[in-house]
Amino acid sequence: MKKKMGAFILCFALLGAGCVFAEEEKTSPEVDPAATQMTEAYPSPDAILPPVPVPPEKGIQDVAAFQKYAEEVDLYVKACQHYIDGATNGANAIIEARNKAVKKAQEAVDVYNRFFDK
């Protein structure tokens, strides 16, 4: 009985150890979430955009002040659109560079795989 119990415990221990080793094995490398090619942070809108226009105290009743406010809002929206366009262009350039790297990696893998196609 002691031999059976010892064999059972040994099998259980070996099975458990196998599971631990299998769990530790990784099929792909970990990706550093902080990995980036940018050498400095992207400028925030707060650093680039002008201050948000302040509405006139009397609202629409002060026509001259409200007209000036409307012009300031228009300029602010145009500045925001300029920032958005620049950010979009930057993002597109990053995506294009990323796609080139993906293509180069795929080309290297294709050359490697040609050795096994024979």
Side-chain angles (χ1 to χ4, degrees):
M1 178 74 171
K2 286 185 179 182
K3 286 184 181 181
K4 286 184 181 180
M5 187 63 122
F8 178 74
I9 291 173
L10 181 63
C11 287
F12 184 72
L14 290 175
L15 181 63
C19 290
V20 169
F21 288 123
E23 187 176 306
E24 289 180 11
E25 184 179 324
K26 300 200 178 192
T27 56
S28 62
E30 282 191 36
V31 176
D32 181 3
T36 181
Q37 306 305 325
M38 294 180 68
T39 56
E40 55 189 66
Y42 194 80
S44 75
D46 296 333
I48 292 182
L49 296 176
V52 177
V54 178
E57 288 182 27
K58 294 183 181 178
I60 201 165
Q61 293 172 347
D62 186 351
V63 176
F66 191 79
Q67 187 174 11
K68 182 179 179 205
Y69 170 66
E71 291 169 2
E72 289 173 356
V73 168
D74 183 56
L75 291 173
Y76 183 77
V77 169
K78 287 178 181 174
C80 287
Q81 187 60 54
H82 184 71
Y83 177 86
I84 292 166
D85 292 344
T88 301
N89 291 340
N92 288 339
I94 290 169
I95 291 168
E96 185 178 318
R98 176 194 153 278
N99 290 345
K100 284 181 183 177
V102 168
K103 184 178 179 183
K104 287 180 176 271
Q106 185 60 55
E107 289 170 355
V109 169
D110 291 344
V111 169
Y112 172 83
N113 285 337
R114 283 189 209 128
F115 286 101
F116 302 104
D117 287 340
K118 298 174 185 176

